[in-house]
Amino acid sequence: HRIAKEARSVQLGEIDWEQTDSSDTHAAIGFPAIRLKEPWRGKGASTVFLASFDRPEYIYEQVAVMTMIPRLGPASMKIILPFFPSLTLQTEGGERGSGKMGDVPTTRTLA
């Protein structure tokens, strides 16, 4: 927020990160009900999404927003991921990898 206050060319967007409940008839219970406030402000603008994959339970919601932003018509889009918890020993299987053949290295897949 400090950068946005000092730089006049930066405008912060707001997102409501909620989970659905029984009163929401348009979504399954427990799934995210994400809403961008004033989404039209991003049209034609350079848009930056500050993501955080430090907790697996929030990755789905953030990916959903990141895939929706381009549909709003920004001039450009950048994603900043300042923290990515990786498992350095997680490798693919096969001749050179230390994992078993068929193991999916989820850290590499997300990166």
Side-chain angles (χ1 to χ4, degrees):
H1 291 264
R2 188 177 77 206
I3 294 171
K5 289 179 183 176
E6 293 178 18
R8 294 181 181 158
S9 62
V10 175
Q11 296 180 1
L12 292 177
E14 292 185 49
I15 302 173
D16 285 333
W17 304 92
E18 298 176 10
Q19 297 291 320
T20 57
D21 58 20
S22 59
S23 66
D24 190 346
T25 59
H26 300 291
I29 294 174
F31 276 83
I34 305 164
R35 290 180 179 81
L36 296 177
K37 294 183 179 181
E38 302 179 348
W40 59 87
R41 289 175 46 195
K43 186 170 185 159
S46 294
T47 303
V48 177
F49 184 82
L50 177 60
S52 177
F53 285 5
D54 61 330
R55 296 184 61 189
E57 61 266 28
Y58 298 130
I59 293 174
Y60 176 79
E61 288 98 338
Q62 293 179 76
V63 170
V65 171
M66 287 186 280
T67 58
M68 191 197 67
I69 289 174
R71 291 185 245 154
L72 300 174
S76 66
M77 179 179 170
K78 293 182 183 178
I79 298 171
I80 299 175
L81 184 58
F83 176 75
F84 184 76
S86 62
L87 302 172
T88 56
L89 297 177
Q90 187 178 21
T91 60
E92 295 179 38
E95 283 185 33
R96 298 181 186 206
S98 61
K100 296 178 185 174
M101 184 61 81
D103 287 351
V104 177
T106 54
T107 303
R108 183 174 176 189
T109 303
L110 287 174

